[in-house]
Amino acid sequence: MSELTPIEWHDDHVSILDQTRLPGQVAHLEARQPQDVADAICSMSIRGAPALGVAASFAAALAAVNARSLDLERARANVDQAIALIRSTRPTARNLFWALERMQACAASARDANELAESLVREALAVQQEDLESCRSIGDFGARLVPEGATILTHCNAGALATAGYGTALGVIRSAHRAGKNIRVLVDETRPLLQGARLTAWELVGEGIPATVIADSAAGWCMQQGMVNLVVVGADRIAANGDAANKIGTYALAVLACQHGIPFYIAAPMSTVDLTLAGGQDIPIEERAAEEVSTIAGTRVTPEGAAIFNPAFDVTPHGLITAIITDRGVCDHPLSESLAKLAS
Ligand code: MRU
């Protein structure tokens, strides 16, 4: 089966599937400079924590390739500059910083500019390949938790588009479907940027998985009506105690799932786990532009002068999470202990 890939390395550029245009248009951006990658991240052409990690490592590799003709010191400075630039794009996804740390460590051992370029390209491709394999493992571990005939509710897009391919939460859904389980998916539209309605629904329709889009505000009613058997979502950063940051609205879903006795799973690779942070209160939460809330598809929906607050993520406390499905296995409670064990 041919898989969806949101970002691809070419010898002298990076091709990025422009997610702002989906589902209407399948168009690609060409990034030749780290700045092009930074712009694609800020504009949400590429998004989703693991995909941001891949984009970050490709940006560092581009900087090294573009500096091939320079001496090692200047080539390294080019890479450092790219790393600083990408670090400043979006603050919440741990994978972005994790990937940049890998690239930085790799750059330290090069002996000339050519070797620097070759080793950073190799490392960036490894980040991508490893993420794809991680998603498949998450899918395999998670599919076992999905009962035959289940209806799964998901939020935002934690699919192939948000990763190197296959997806985390959607990886679980894909694997359950491919294993022949007769599942269906309720997709939260995910205001303000509609990643659920635009991206998750597009991926599911493309794969022939039965999917129904609901307004975010319909989730509670659907749970109360017995229409949801489990919730699976992704994560942008998971603290040492298991608190998990994900797209705004995830916390509300976890509270609702708890109220209705519905299992609530987080699916994420270990590269999303940040053991340096004790709890969710330490996770940096991105606040995005007011226009994302005050307009829909370019049309203003709030009156001039209305104040807007647009946090892009929220934190679900570990006590509301049934289990965390990782690429190394399923973490049960106490989450702090099982995360530490899998990380070691
Ligand atoms: O703002 P976004 O679209 O980058 O937010 C994405 C999410 O919240 C995803 O659920 C998360 O990054 C996990 S992606 C596998």
Side-chain angles (χ1 to χ4, degrees), residues 38-195:
D39 292 345
I41 291 173
C42 292
S43 67
M44 308 283 283
S45 292
I46 182 125
R47 34 105 358 240
L52 292 176
V54 178
S57 56
F58 281 1
L62 270 181
V65 166
N66 291 345
R68 251 192 166 127
S69 59
L70 305 179
D71 61 51
L72 179 60
E73 202 178 318
R74 285 169 64 209
R76 271 220 184 97
N78 234 37
V79 171
D80 288 345
Q81 215 179 357
I83 288 176
L85 171 70
I86 300 297
R87 282 181 74 87
S88 69
T89 53
R90 298 192 69 192
T92 305
R94 168 63 191 147
N95 310 62
L96 181 145
F97 300 92
W98 167 87
L100 291 176
E101 283 158 21
R102 267 180 77 154
M103 299 307 279
Q104 190 107 59
C106 184
S109 57
R111 283 164 302 181
D112 59 49
N114 218 27
E115 193 182 311
L116 181 72
E118 274 168 22
S119 61
L120 288 202
V121 171
R122 215 178 307 117
E123 187 72 356
L125 290 172
V127 166
Q128 183 181 38
Q129 181 59 29
E130 287 168 29
D131 186 62
L132 188 56
E133 286 160 19
S134 291
C135 287
R136 293 223 165 91
S137 301
I138 290 169
D140 288 346
F141 286 122
R144 295 175 205 155
L145 302 170
V146 177
E148 162 60 28
T151 296
I152 305 167
L153 188 134
T154 192
H155 189 65
C156 195
N157 172 265
L161 292 168
T163 59
Y166 205 74
T168 56
L170 279 202
V172 172
I173 289 167
R174 268 200 174 88
S175 292
H177 174 74
R178 290 183 187 184
K181 291 186 179 176
N182 184 25
I183 56 166
R184 55 188 293 264
V185 185
L186 283 185
V187 182
D188 267 1
E189 61 176 353
T190 319
R191 268 286 282 157
L193 294 180
L194 302 175
Q195 289 95 326

Side-chain angles (χ1 to χ4, degrees), residues 228-246:
V228 180
N229 301 107
L230 66 151
V231 180
V232 186
V233 296
D236 278 77
R237 199 184 286 238
I238 300 171
N241 68 350
D243 292 353
N246 191 50

